[in-house]
Amino acid sequence: MGSRWYALIVDAIDPERLGRWWAEVLDHRVESVSPGEVVVGPAADGHPRLVFLRHDEAKHAKNRLHLDLRPDDLDAELERLVNMGARHVDVGQPDGAALIVLADPEGNEFCVIRPDR
């Protein structure tokens, strides 16, 4: 018997704002909002979920875990994400890398993978 991935927990200063941001990025739905917690999941089966929990301290270092996104249209998706509040981040990736590193509105890094890779 093994385990199944149920959820990824994300600490957030403003869990509702960040949860709604990621729901829009991923075309997911907000499943629940309560004081200090927002749950986001895909419409189909609800798993895996992202759970945003209130944490009053700002992020101080590079993420130890992050999401990779793989869009069909890299340029359009980068423009959409930046317009939504993402920003480009340099974590030492080489020029021409197979990915672009961005950060969400609270500074959590994530990668956008080039579709031809």
Side-chain angles (χ1 to χ4, degrees):
M1 179 159 188
S3 294
R4 287 179 294 284
W5 179 17
Y6 180 75
L8 175 69
I9 310 306
V10 180
D11 290 338
I13 292 172
D14 186 344
E16 186 169 358
R17 177 178 173 244
L18 196 60
R20 291 186 186 285
W21 191 87
W22 276 104
E24 184 176 345
V25 166
L26 298 171
D27 194 26
H28 281 25
R29 62 189 173 90
V30 175
E31 294 181 359
S32 66
V33 177
S34 61
E37 179 181 284
V38 174
V39 179
V40 172
D45 65 7
H47 295 93
R49 292 179 169 118
L50 294 174
V51 179
F52 297 86
L53 297 177
R54 182 169 317 285
H55 185 77
D56 292 331
E57 289 185 32
K59 181 179 158 315
H60 297 291
K62 182 180 177 295
N63 295 8
R64 301 273 317 251
L65 177 71
H66 68 267
L67 298 179
D68 283 353
L69 307 179
R70 188 178 196 133
D72 293 326
D73 184 334
L74 178 68
D75 293 333
E77 184 65 353
L78 288 173
E79 181 177 357
R80 180 180 83 96
L81 294 168
V82 169
N83 287 341
M84 289 175 59
R87 62 183 172 79
H88 288 268
V89 178
D90 182 357
V91 295
Q93 67 273 28
D95 289 337
L99 53 88
I100 292 95
V101 181
L102 299 177
D104 70 16
E106 289 199 10
N108 300 300
E109 296 93 358
F110 63 98
C111 295
V112 182
I113 306 295
R114 296 182 191 282
D116 60 337
R117 304 278 171 146

